[in-house]
Amino acid sequence: MRSRAAVLVEPGRPLEVREIEVQAPKAGEVLVRMAAGGVCHTDLHVMQGLFAAPRPAVLGHEGAGVVAEVGPGVTSVKPGDHVVPLWRIACGECEYCTGERPALCPSGLEVRRTGRLPDGTTRFSLNGEELKHFAGVSSFSEYSVIPEKGVLAIPKDIPLEKAALLGCAVITGFGAVAYAAKVRPGTTVAVIGAGGVGLNVIQAAALAGAERIIAVDLLEGKLTHARAFGATHAVRAEKGGDPVGAIRELTGGRGVDYAFDVVGLPATVRQAYLALAKRGVAVAIGIPENNAEVSVPIMSLVYDERVLTGSLYGSARPRLDIPRLIGLYRARKLKLDELLTRTWPLAEINEAYAALERGEVARSVVTF
Ligand SMILES: [Zn+2]
Ligand SMILES: [Zn+2]
């Protein structure tokens, strides 16, 4: 079938909205009619060539839609079901899947690395030429074929444009707080980068009972969002500047118990670490450029017992945690309505990314 999709031909060029060909789902696959695709920084990094991905490709790794058709053997979803795609498929059987870290499953990494579905082929083409999938999701296409292991059915009363955000921004931020850092009540938290994921780190830390939450960003607009999501303090950073002194000052020189880097630069990961108190935990969440490295003083690792760790996909179990997040949304404890500040038609996807870069939106989605 034909489908309108945003295609990345090569990095450095704008996305091209084209009519592509989408094949029917094969065994273990699901055809999803996408309702919304999330405008996330990770795709931007791919477009800019900072983060490698096979191409030409249909990008988009956050979304929500309705199952249009299922391939042979699919049992967990049926046509008409509302679903959120998961950007790391999980086999369910390996040591990481059974050890509560499905995002680390090698099968998910393989799909991300090759741009192909688990059987080694793709379901997209343009003028007869193969197009790659992105993270097995490709939510910037009206119709996408996704492995059954990469979709999760959700209740039909959650608006799909908002549900889309659960699949990346929300679970990544909440999971990093709950599972990677394990934020305790009454503690202090710093969050470097107040974009879509950072805002969810902030609201999760507030729900976890953090006493002081310091948001750091270059853009005043993002700090305004941060306060609305629960930040008690805001530090306006400067490009190339160092917010560590300001963070430490806000904690009486002690440093914070938890610091999250949601930017992914060597400098910001190091700042998160340097802002820690003794026994503090710094969590790197932001997706780095290929081969980026960070250095920290070993003295403070040993004498302060500080921890520097990372978190992929919120270190979460999406099949358990997304339903829990929906419960929090229904209980009016999760700010999801406030997170979605703009929708764009697919044709304006490049403008959507320009607005993201300017920090004009908390989170936005393209719709079809
Ligand atoms: Zn994302
Ligand atoms: Zn696995």
Side-chain angles (χ1 to χ4, degrees):
M1 64 163 58
R2 309 288 288 172
S3 172
R4 282 181 312 121
V7 176
L8 178 73
V9 178
E10 59 182 281
R13 277 171 54 176
L15 295 176
E16 296 178 18
V17 177
R18 305 288 293 268
E19 282 252 310
I20 67 165
E21 192 65 36
V22 179
Q23 290 173 31
K26 295 189 176 174
E29 298 171 0
V30 177
L31 178 72
V32 176
R33 187 184 200 294
M34 218 56 82
V39 178
C40 177
H41 259 109
T42 302
D43 305 282
L44 182 65
H45 286 166
V46 173
M47 292 172 214
Q48 293 169 333
L50 301 177
F51 186 42
R55 56 177 201 280
V58 179
L59 295 188
H61 64 281
E62 184 182 85
V66 180
V67 174
E69 191 184 330
V70 298
V74 171
T75 55
S76 65
V77 293
K78 57 185 185 307
D81 281 356
H82 289 195
V83 291
V84 168
L86 309 175
W87 53 254
R88 272 286 198 263
I89 65 164
C91 74
E93 287 157 17
C94 71
E95 67 171 296
Y96 304 105
C97 287
T98 56
E100 306 191 349
R101 284 294 187 274
L104 304 182
C105 178
S107 67
L109 180 63
E110 187 66 4
V111 165
R112 169 66 185 80
R113 195 181 62 75
T114 61
R116 295 192 165 97
L117 297 183
D119 77 346
T121 62
T122 89
R123 301 292 162 268
F124 300 137
S125 58
L126 178 62
N127 302 327
E129 195 198 341
E130 176 191 84
L131 288 175
K132 301 294 198 305
H133 297 249
F134 182 58
V137 174
S138 295
S139 52
F140 296 158
S141 178
E142 201 179 352
Y143 286 92
S144 185
V145 175
I146 301 174
E148 180 184 16
K149 287 178 172 157
V151 294
L152 172 68
I154 59 161
K156 290 185 178 171
D157 62 321
I158 307 296
L160 286 167
E161 293 173 5
K162 290 165 186 170
L165 311 182
L166 297 171
C168 181
V170 179
I171 193 168
T172 301
F174 265 77
V177 169
Y179 301 121
K182 301 186 174 79
V183 171
R184 311 289 301 173
T187 52
T188 50
V189 172
V191 183
I192 302 177
V197 174
L199 292 175
N200 283 290
V201 172
I202 290 167
Q203 68 166 329
L207 268 177
E211 184 249 324
R212 198 165 279 223
I213 302 171
I214 303 162
V216 180
D217 205 285
L218 297 169
L219 300 167
E220 193 56 47
K222 289 191 176 180
L223 293 174
T224 304
H225 288 305
R227 288 190 194 90
F229 277 71
T232 58
H233 298 77
V235 172
R236 176 92 182 261
E238 281 166 27
K239 216 171 183 113
D242 187 354
V244 174
I247 296 170
R248 297 197 76 92
E249 204 169 297
L250 286 167
T251 55
R254 174 182 174 273
V256 293
D257 298 300
Y258 309 96
F260 296 85
D261 172 64
V262 201
V263 179
L265 293 171
T268 53
V269 173
R270 182 175 151 86
Q271 287 159 9
Y273 177 85
L274 294 179
L276 292 176
K278 289 184 182 188
R279 304 198 66 194
V281 178
V283 184
I285 309 173
I287 301 293
E289 290 184 21
N290 300 320
N291 308 320
E293 293 188 6
V294 65
S295 74
V296 298
I298 300 173
M299 283 293 279
S300 56
L301 272 176
V302 177
Y303 283 84
D304 292 353
E305 295 191 359
R306 295 189 202 185
V307 175
L308 174 59
T309 185
S311 177
L312 181 69
Y313 214 164
S315 310
R317 285 173 290 171
R319 290 182 188 281
L320 275 181
D321 291 305
I322 288 178
R324 289 173 176 168
L325 291 166
I326 290 172
L328 283 175
Y329 172 61
R330 286 191 167 135
R332 298 182 187 282
K333 290 180 177 174
L334 171 70
K335 292 186 176 66
L336 195 54
D337 298 330
E338 299 84 344
L339 190 62
L340 182 68
T341 50
R342 177 132 195 206
T343 63
W344 310 79
L346 180 67
E348 292 176 22
I349 190 164
N350 291 305
E351 286 95 293
Y353 272 98
L356 177 75
E357 279 194 278
R358 291 192 299 265
E360 290 173 8
V361 291
R363 193 62 150 194
S364 70
V365 296
V366 292
T367 55
F368 297 91

